[in-house]
Each structure stands twice: as structure tokens, then as C-alpha cells.
Amino acid sequence: MSKNDLIIKYIKSLEVGSRISVRTVASALSVSDGTAYRAIKECDSLGYVTTIPRVGTVRIEKVEKKSIETLTYAEVVNIVDGTILGGKSGIHKTLDKFVIGAMTEDAMIKYITLNCLVIVGNRTEAQKLALENNSGVLITGGFNCSEEIKTLADSKCLPIISSTYDTFTIASLINKALSESLIKKDILLVEDIMEEVYSLNIDDTVGKWKKLISETKHERYPVVDDANKVVGIITLKDYDGTNDSTKIGKIMIKNPIMLTKNTTVAYAAHVMGWEGIEICPVVEGRKLIGVITRQDVIKALQYRAKQPQYGETMDELVLKNFSISIENGVILYKGKIAPQMLDDMGTASWSSMNMLMSTVGIMSIRQKNNLNVSVDSITTYYMRPVQVDSYITIIPDIFDMGRSFCKVEVNMVNVKGNILAKSLISAKILRK
């Protein structure tokens, strides 16, 4: 085991909430400060530790898939630029509800629940009530709290945070953070769809591969070395009829394309579709942790297309001003130029217009026979200035539909039918 792996194992063995520093780790394991620093940084990227302002690096519980409704107290401290007055040992805990204490204590009690954060001003009794009911406290206006409250927070292991912002600003900041978290949650990652690891060793024989095919019905396997690092991939297309005693390492495809668990499914679809890849290893530091297939990617994209949006992206902010209609068998997108689309000259910006036409073009391709596509190129070769509140119609025209590629021309016209912009989109069709 390398020194780096030894340090990571040591950090994982520490209790949640333990403070970690380069010097203490280096001293405990008799390694250099540089080695300890690199290992701590790797633990940070793996989700075993986090760095909290004015507190330091802390061992946290790794959450494989964070709930979309939760934040940690540490994240709240960063969001509101707060100061921790007490209960530092509970900074890693999660919360899933916020309560603004703009009421009497008797009325407030029914709203306070476990894993809650109560936002109040310099009201000692309200602060005490929240802590006694196992809720954290966020004090607005930059006020301090009494020593009694700090002692109670320490004993309950519940943070009490102070921020100079007012209540409305704090609520707005937290709401924005939750909205961004919802949008991120809505993005499908490779880790959401990857399958359990099945692989062959570089020294295994063709005979063993054939036996696995008959047992598992899988024809494609990543190939790893003795350290479980991916060195190749083997499929039936690579089999040239050699005898069963031949080692896999002699007929495998070397240096295959690999993905990490944090790669988006959309990017995986583009790579696998463009390169014609049926299976792709998922690695962490080149070590195999799973695999994804083209079927997995397409199913995920189909599932994602049917799900409601949790948050508003830029595309959604623009497209919500448009409606879809069908006239003479042609799909039309009608709407008006929103203020969010303007540039500093007061007309619709090139980037927002281009995004609008490309989004409509891609949507029209995907609606055609429920196809899944990966965009290859988008070219906008004509565009006129368009004023705010102008009503426009976007007309996508799929003029070339092959087995692997399709092309669509997107025209934008005004109410008089005059051309405002023209784009050409080329996309690769993803098939199972």
C-alpha cells in the first residue's frame, strides 16, 4: 500500500467531526508535509473531508448522493458569510427545513422540527427554544448571543451562526443556493447509471472470456492489470479466431476511452455515439469502479426527458416565453423577445438568439420519432437585430435524416414573415 493510500485509510478511520491538519497527519504517520497535503486534498475531492472557513479541515460523512432538499450547516455558513458562535462540532450536520422566527415563542414551537434551521434576530428566548428542540440557529443583523446560548449549542452539538445580512437577504441567498442545488441534482451523471464491475485480467485467456460470455451473456469486458487499473477492452469485434489459450492482453484494444463517475451522461452519449463505442469503463484514478453501455445512456436520456424540471436553467428562462403549435404538419415555436435576452444595445443578444434557435432545433430532432441525438455542430449564418417584446416564430426544418446523422435548418421570422435569423444544425443519431 502506498503512502497516499495509507493516509486516506487513516483519515477515513477518524470520527466524523474530527479536525484534520497537514502537520497532525504527517506526524501521526511519519510522512512529509507535502505527502500529507496531497492526500488530504484527494480526500476532499472524494468527499471524506471539507474545509470550513474559520474552522479548518473537518472529517465528514461521505454522502454518495445528496438529497436535493438538504444542505449542511457548513454550506450555510459559506452562503451567508457567517461566523460560528457555538456548536462547532455539529457543523457537518445536514438540515432540510428553514424557519424564520418572526412570531412569538408559543407560535414558533409548532414549526420547529429536527434538522431545522431557525433564522432569528437578537431574541435570546427564541434562540434557546430552537436549540432545546434540536434545531440550529442563524442570527441576523450580526448580533452576538449570550454565553448561556453558546454553552447550550456546544452541549447539543448544534451550530449557532451569526451573519451581518438582514433576514430577507439571508432567505434570498439560501433560496438561490437551493435552486442551484436542484438544477445540479437534475443533471444525470455517469455514477447514476453505471453498472456493477465485471472485468477480465490481462493474463486471462480467451477460453475464460468465452466461458464468461456464456454465463453472463455479456460480450464486452474491460481488461485490468493486477492493480485493477484499466489497460484495455475486449469485444467480439476484436476476436480474430485465435485459440482458447491465447491471453486477452494480445487481442484487446489498448488505451480505451474512459469516463469518470462525475462525467455527465450527455457528454458520455456524445463520446460513445461519435466513437461508436458500445461499452465504456468508469474509473477513479484509472482504477475500474464500473461500466456503462450505450443502452444505459440512451435509457437514461429517455428517462430524463420525461422528468419535470426542479430548477430554472437559462434555456428554460428563455423558452418559457414560447409556445408550440403545429400548422400544416410543421412544428412552430411562437413567442416574444424577453428582457433577459437583451444586450447592452437594447436588442436581442447574439448569444441568446443563437441559444434559442439551437435549442428549438435540437428539440425538433428529438421529437422526430423519439430520437436521441448528440449535437455535432451548429452554424448561424444570418441574424438581424430584434427589439424587446417583438413577436417571433421559429420554424425548424429537418431536411436530411440518415441512419447515423441528421441535419435541420432553423429559421426565425417576424410577424410579417421576414427572415430574422437562419441556423444549420448537424447531429448524430444515437441508436441502441
Side-chain angles (χ1 to χ4, degrees):
M1 182 181 294
S2 66
K3 290 183 179 180
N4 189 73
D5 293 337
L6 185 65
I7 297 172
I8 293 175
K9 183 178 179 181
Y10 168 74
I11 291 174
K12 289 167 64 176
S13 68
L14 297 176
E15 290 186 8
V16 173
S18 301
R19 293 187 61 179
I20 299 168
S21 69
V22 171
R23 184 170 297 177
T24 55
V25 171
S27 176
L29 299 178
S30 301
V31 297
S32 67
D33 288 355
T35 303
Y37 175 79
R38 287 190 294 272
I40 292 173
K41 280 295 183 184
E42 184 172 344
C43 284
D44 192 0
S45 64
L46 294 174
Y48 294 113
V49 303
T50 188
T51 301
I52 304 169
R54 294 179 286 276
V55 174
T57 303
V58 180
R59 171 75 168 94
I60 61 174
E61 187 67 41
K62 182 176 180 181
V63 181
E64 294 297 337
K65 203 65 183 175
K66 184 172 34 175
S67 171
I68 60 175
E69 296 89 3
T70 62
L71 290 173
T72 65
Y73 289 107
E75 289 172 321
V76 172
V77 172
N78 291 332
I79 291 167
V80 303
D81 194 22
T83 302
I84 303 171
L85 303 179
K88 289 184 179 180
S89 58
I91 199 69
H92 62 279
K93 293 182 178 179
T94 60
L95 55 138
D96 52 27
K97 183 180 177 182
F98 303 91
V99 174
I100 297 177
M103 57 193 83
T104 64
E105 286 78 16
D106 292 339
M108 191 187 304
I109 185 65
K110 63 182 179 181
Y111 294 100
I112 300 175
T113 58
L114 187 66
N115 299 327
C116 173
L117 177 67
V118 178
I119 303 174
V120 296
N122 55 342
R123 297 171 55 193
T124 301
E125 290 304 317
Q127 298 165 8
K128 184 177 180 181
L129 179 68
L131 292 171
E132 289 176 343
N133 286 274
N134 299 313
S135 294
V137 177
L138 200 166
I139 303 175
T140 63
F143 294 107
N144 206 328
C145 64
S146 66
E147 290 300 322
E148 179 188 1
I149 295 297
K150 292 179 182 178
T151 302
L152 180 60
D154 290 335
S155 65
K156 290 279 190 176
C157 293
L158 288 168
I160 184 163
I161 305 164
S162 177
S163 174
T164 57
Y165 295 121
D166 60 88
T167 302
F168 176 79
T169 303
I170 286 176
S172 299
L173 290 170
I174 293 176
N175 183 65
K176 180 182 177 183
L178 281 173
S179 177
E180 292 174 352
S181 177
L182 296 177
I183 293 172
K184 289 180 181 178
K185 174 70 178 182
D186 207 31
I187 300 172
L188 279 174
L189 302 179
V190 165
E191 67 175 328
D192 297 320
I193 66 170
M194 69 181 187
E195 299 178 0
E196 61 180 283
V197 177
Y198 52 90
S199 62
L200 289 166
N201 188 275
I202 193 172
D203 293 323
D204 287 336
T205 63
V206 171
K208 181 176 180 179
W209 174 39
K210 290 181 178 179
K211 183 179 179 181
L212 281 174
I213 291 176
S214 64
E215 293 175 352
T216 65
K217 308 303 179 185
H218 289 296
E219 300 174 354
R220 310 171 185 90
Y221 290 86
V223 182
V224 299
D225 59 16
D226 293 334
N228 200 39
K229 292 185 177 180
V230 177
V231 294
I233 199 160
I234 182 73
T235 71
L236 280 180
K237 292 187 294 185
D238 309 316
Y239 183 53
D240 56 4
T242 55
N243 59 58
D244 290 357
S245 61
T246 303
K247 291 188 175 181
I248 292 294
K250 292 185 177 181
I251 63 173
M252 70 180 184
I253 298 296
K254 297 180 180 179
N255 301 318
I257 293 175
M258 294 176 281
L259 302 171
T260 67
K261 64 180 182 179
N262 293 324
T263 303
T264 63
V265 172
Y267 178 78
H270 176 79
V271 172
M272 297 178 75
W274 184 254
E275 299 291 340
I277 300 172
E278 298 291 341
I279 184 174
C280 197
V282 183
V283 299
E284 190 170 0
R286 289 195 66 87
K287 290 186 177 180
L288 184 67
I289 59 173
V291 294
I292 61 169
T293 64
R294 185 182 297 192
Q295 288 84 354
D296 296 330
V297 170
I298 293 175
K299 286 179 182 178
L301 291 176
Q302 290 173 338
Y303 171 79
R304 169 63 182 81
K306 297 175 182 177
Q307 301 307 302
Q309 293 285 9
Y310 291 110
E312 285 190 324
T313 62
M314 289 299 294
D315 284 11
E316 293 162 350
L317 285 171
V318 173
L319 285 174
K320 72 178 182 181
N321 295 307
F322 287 78
S323 60
I324 304 176
S325 62
I326 300 178
E327 297 180 10
N328 299 322
V330 178
I331 299 177
L332 303 178
Y333 292 79
K334 297 182 178 181
K336 68 178 182 177
I337 300 299
Q340 296 93 332
M341 300 172 62
L342 300 182
D343 59 14
D344 53 3
M345 300 297 292
T347 60
S349 68
W350 183 92
S351 57
S352 62
M353 294 274 279
N354 197 51
M355 179 185 69
L356 180 59
M357 290 197 298
S358 62
T359 302
V360 168
I362 294 167
M363 289 173 61
S364 66
I365 296 173
R366 288 176 175 162
Q367 288 176 351
K368 182 76 171 180
N369 298 326
N370 197 26
L371 290 173
N372 295 283
V373 296
S374 177
V375 176
D376 179 29
S377 65
I378 301 175
T379 304
T380 300
Y381 50 93
Y382 176 73
M383 187 175 293
R384 289 175 56 184
V386 185
Q387 301 297 323
V388 65
D389 291 333
S390 297
Y391 283 90
I392 60 174
T393 301
I394 305 174
I395 310 169
D397 177 23
I398 303 173
F399 64 89
D400 185 14
M401 180 69 71
R403 176 171 174 78
S404 299
F405 282 91
C406 59
K407 294 182 176 65
V408 57
E409 183 181 62
V410 183
N411 294 311
M412 181 185 294
V413 301
N414 59 18
V415 291
K416 296 181 179 179
N418 298 325
I419 295 291
L420 300 175
K422 296 175 74 72
S423 287
L424 179 65
I425 300 173
S426 176
K428 183 174 179 62
I429 300 172
L430 303 176
R431 301 184 186 275
K432 293 185 180 181

